Amino acid sequence: MMDIKTLKGFKDYLPKDCLIRIHIVRQIFSVLNSYNFDLIDTPVLEYSELLLKKSGDESEKQIYRFKDNGGRDVSMRFDLTVPFARFVATNSSSLKFPFRRSQFGKVFRGENSQKGRYREFMQFDFDIVGEDSFRGDAEILSVVYYGLEEIFLNFIEGINKKFIIHYSHLGILNSFFEKLGIKEKSLFILRNIDKIDKIGISKVREELLLKIEKEAVDSILNLVSLQGTFKDKIQALKSILGDNDSIKRVEDVFKHLSLLKIQDSFNLNLKISRGLDYYTGIVFESEVFGSNMGSVCSGGRYDNLVSSFSSSVQKVSGVGGSFGIDRIKDIIDLEKFSYIKIFVTKARSKVLIVNLDSALQNYYYELATRFRNHDYSKVKNISCEVYFKNKNGKNIKEQIEYALNKEIRFLVFVGQEEYKENKMKVRDLTKKEELLLSFEESINVIKCNEKLLCTPF
């Protein structure tokens, strides 16, 4: 018999798992919608030449690449940024710049799988292209902040102390490498700096010493390890590099975040350099304290990515980020964040119409439609189902067990007596109480729990 199992790094999602992912996507979408980002989509498959052009050595090793039925050399997208750059190059004549893009979908990387890191996973990306200013950088960073705030439902007291957004600017690092006379090795250095939090500074030092003199390595590691307040770090950088456009850019971004009163959730961290070739300016990563899962939202500015795909397209600067949906879900699954999982999976306040009478089958489905389409003081689309009539006739115990298994909160009972009176018995399985109500009164009961209602995405 065939051994049935999923591939390593790939996983099935049960209904409760999908509810969490939908919650995350919905919260991010609400933030992006408030910033007026436009939703797009791109194919899962792209020509390998396109993806390999800007993937970087590490990503190139992880790309799922094969020949399709037409003999074309194709690959599955490893992120949503490179396909988006191709999208802009292909559709530039139809887009109005600056263009604000949002997109969610699955991406694929053949890397070592572990908790929070899979070979198939979902991302939610957001970008602003056609605008090169500190305002654009700051706006993207503010989306990260408000996105994380929405995902965690504002339940955490002092939420700005529960996650941190680290950011840096590659221009600062590259200016320093140029001062040291090793600018030609900048990509090698940046890729290793990016590994400090993953493998430790000692191992990174060993890697850097393979190609760079000890004195320069010490200077680099001292620079990226700067401590203190934002002001302290800026003063230290100015003392080393003098007047510098990248330092000025970081200062302006910080002023914008301060204007929004969210600056305390951001940390200037020069160890953040990202591992991909296409970043050119500000870069960032974010972490949730206590999760040990790595970054949940990362990104940065890319100035030359779009034009690298088409000679007919002029330089289009872009900046953006990407929320890792599956990694965030894994964090919510942690015991300390499980209250969110409980909230979301119980949040739909679903209704089950108990199947009591064969003569009332049509009425049950009419009633379910009224629940689904009702609009009352912003309580709309109450999810509802009718329990199918089974061969054994009515079995109330079986139907209650079904409701409990699906965490359906409200049971509706309508027999001949209730039907004649245009009433229904509504049983709240959470409070273990039952009331005889009209339809409008039943909506009022559900409305009292409207904070627990989820409308479909």
Side-chain angles (χ1 to χ4, degrees):
M1 182 177 289
M2 181 179 178
D3 184 14
I4 301 176
K5 58 183 179 180
T6 57
L7 291 165
K8 183 179 179 182
F10 296 77
K11 61 184 296 187
D12 294 322
Y13 286 85
L14 295 172
K16 290 181 182 180
D17 298 319
C18 289
L19 275 177
I20 301 298
R21 292 215 300 181
I22 288 173
H23 162 73
I24 297 166
V25 169
R26 184 193 299 114
Q27 302 306 91
I28 295 170
F29 180 81
S30 69
V31 171
L32 292 172
N33 194 47
S34 72
Y35 277 73
N36 210 22
F37 281 75
D38 293 314
L39 195 62
I40 68 159
D41 200 7
T42 57
V44 170
L45 283 182
E46 300 276 3
Y47 282 104
S48 295
E49 180 184 10
L50 181 142
L51 294 184
L52 293 170
K53 189 170 186 178
K54 285 292 180 179
S55 62
D57 292 342
E58 291 299 317
S59 296
E60 185 173 336
K61 297 174 185 176
Q62 300 167 359
I63 287 178
Y64 284 97
R65 181 180 182 181
F66 56 92
K67 292 287 182 70
D68 69 3
N69 291 340
R72 292 173 287 262
D73 184 4
V74 297
S75 294
M76 301 174 77
R77 62 192 184 194
F78 65 89
D79 73 359
L80 296 178
T81 303
V82 176
F84 173 57
R86 192 272 309 150
F87 172 92
V88 174
T90 304
N91 300 283
S92 59
S93 61
S94 302
L95 301 176
K96 180 68 175 177
F97 295 101
F99 180 66
R100 293 169 176 254
R101 161 263 198 166
S102 65
Q103 178 184 1
F104 64 94
K106 290 185 175 181
V107 298
F108 306 85
R109 296 180 190 175
E111 58 184 350
N112 292 328
S113 58
Q114 54 186 293
K115 194 70 172 176
R117 188 180 294 273
Y118 304 101
R119 293 178 176 176
E120 177 191 58
F121 54 98
M122 182 179 288
Q123 292 184 330
F124 204 138
D125 280 27
F126 50 101
D127 300 78
I128 302 173
V129 292
E131 168 70 15
D132 183 6
S133 71
F134 78 87
R135 299 287 186 188
D137 293 343
E139 187 126 309
I140 289 296
L141 289 173
S142 69
V143 166
V144 181
Y145 172 86
Y146 290 116
L148 291 175
E149 187 180 56
E150 284 297 311
I151 289 166
F152 290 98
L153 299 168
N154 294 309
F155 281 176
I156 308 174
E157 184 179 353
I159 191 166
N160 61 330
K161 297 180 181 179
K162 295 300 179 181
F163 64 81
I164 189 76
I165 302 161
H166 302 282
Y167 68 106
S168 180
H169 198 295
L170 298 184
I172 295 174
L173 294 171
N174 285 322
S175 295
F176 187 64
F177 303 154
E178 185 174 9
K179 182 177 180 178
L180 294 176
I182 51 174
K183 186 178 180 180
E184 72 283 357
K185 297 178 181 178
S186 62
L187 190 56
F188 166 76
I189 301 169
L190 291 173
R191 285 178 178 168
N192 279 283
I193 288 174
D194 190 57
K195 299 176 184 178
I196 290 176
D197 290 335
K198 302 177 181 71
I199 66 175
I201 198 165
S202 296
K203 290 185 177 179
V204 168
R205 179 188 296 275
E206 291 176 9
E207 291 293 322
L208 291 175
L209 286 172
L210 294 175
K211 295 186 179 181
I212 301 172
E213 295 296 325
K214 180 180 181 301
E215 185 178 349
V217 170
D218 290 341
S219 296
I220 292 168
L221 295 180
N222 286 336
L223 182 80
V224 300
S225 301
L226 284 176
Q227 300 296 315
T229 65
F230 175 81
K231 185 177 180 180
D232 293 336
K233 294 173 185 177
I234 291 297
Q235 287 179 341
L237 289 172
K238 287 182 175 179
S239 68
I240 297 169
L241 297 173
D243 291 333
N244 182 282
D245 290 341
S246 299
I247 296 175
K248 176 65 164 56
R249 181 77 159 233
V250 168
E251 286 186 287
D252 289 338
V253 167
F254 187 79
K255 289 177 183 177
H256 183 104
L257 298 174
S258 299
L259 181 69
L260 303 179
K261 295 180 171 55
I262 60 175
Q263 74 280 0
D264 290 343
S265 291
F266 293 85
N267 174 41
L268 179 59
N269 182 350
L270 296 177
K271 294 193 294 292
I272 303 301
S273 59
R274 308 295 294 140
L276 298 170
D277 294 358
Y278 50 72
Y279 289 119
T280 56
I282 201 158
V283 286
F284 62 87
E285 295 181 358
S286 54
E287 64 172 313
V288 177
F289 293 144
S291 68
N292 296 317
M293 290 273 187
S295 180
V296 295
C297 186
S298 308
R301 179 165 289 281
Y302 47 90
D303 286 337
N304 307 307
L305 186 56
V306 175
S307 58
S308 69
F309 293 123
S310 174
S311 58
S312 62
V313 179
Q314 295 182 346
K315 178 179 176 180
V316 180
S317 183
V319 60
S322 177
F323 287 96
I325 305 301
D326 296 281
R327 184 169 291 180
I328 293 172
K329 181 202 166 294
D330 285 344
I331 290 174
I332 289 174
D333 283 341
L334 292 174
E335 184 177 348
K336 64 181 67 179
F337 296 103
S338 61
Y339 62 86
I340 299 177
K341 185 172 186 178
I342 293 170
F343 178 89
V344 174
T345 56
K346 291 182 180 295
R348 295 195 298 170
S349 293
K350 296 180 291 187
V351 172
L352 176 69
I353 297 177
V354 178
N355 206 320
L356 293 176
D357 194 320
S358 297
L360 295 175
Q361 296 299 297
N362 289 341
Y363 178 73
Y364 291 153
Y365 285 94
E366 290 172 4
L367 186 59
T369 300
R370 291 177 69 189
F371 274 113
R372 293 168 188 151
N373 297 326
H374 194 77
D375 187 344
Y376 180 85
S377 185
K378 298 183 181 179
V379 179
K380 56 175 71 174
N381 298 323
I382 297 172
S383 56
C384 177
E385 64 178 292
V386 180
Y387 191 86
F388 288 115
K389 192 72 174 176
N390 57 51
K391 294 180 180 179
N392 299 323
K394 61 183 181 182
N395 185 331
I396 295 177
K397 182 180 178 182
E398 177 184 302
Q399 297 183 54
I400 292 174
E401 288 176 351
Y402 175 82
L404 289 170
N405 181 263
K406 292 193 70 175
E407 300 189 35
I408 294 175
R409 179 168 182 173
F410 296 99
L411 297 181
V412 169
F413 298 85
V414 180
Q416 287 294 337
E417 185 177 340
E418 290 81 19
Y419 176 70
K420 290 175 183 177
E421 296 179 8
N422 198 24
K423 299 275 190 178
M424 64 187 73
K425 291 179 180 177
V426 178
R427 184 180 300 178
D428 186 337
L429 293 177
T430 301
K431 298 179 179 178
K432 297 182 180 179
E433 64 181 21
E434 184 173 290
L435 302 170
L436 182 64
L437 306 167
S438 68
F439 177 77
E440 292 297 333
E441 288 170 338
S442 72
I443 293 296
N444 272 324
V445 168
I446 295 172
K447 182 180 180 296
C448 289
N449 301 281
E450 64 181 344
K451 290 184 179 180
L452 297 181
L453 285 175
C454 286
T455 55
F457 175 71

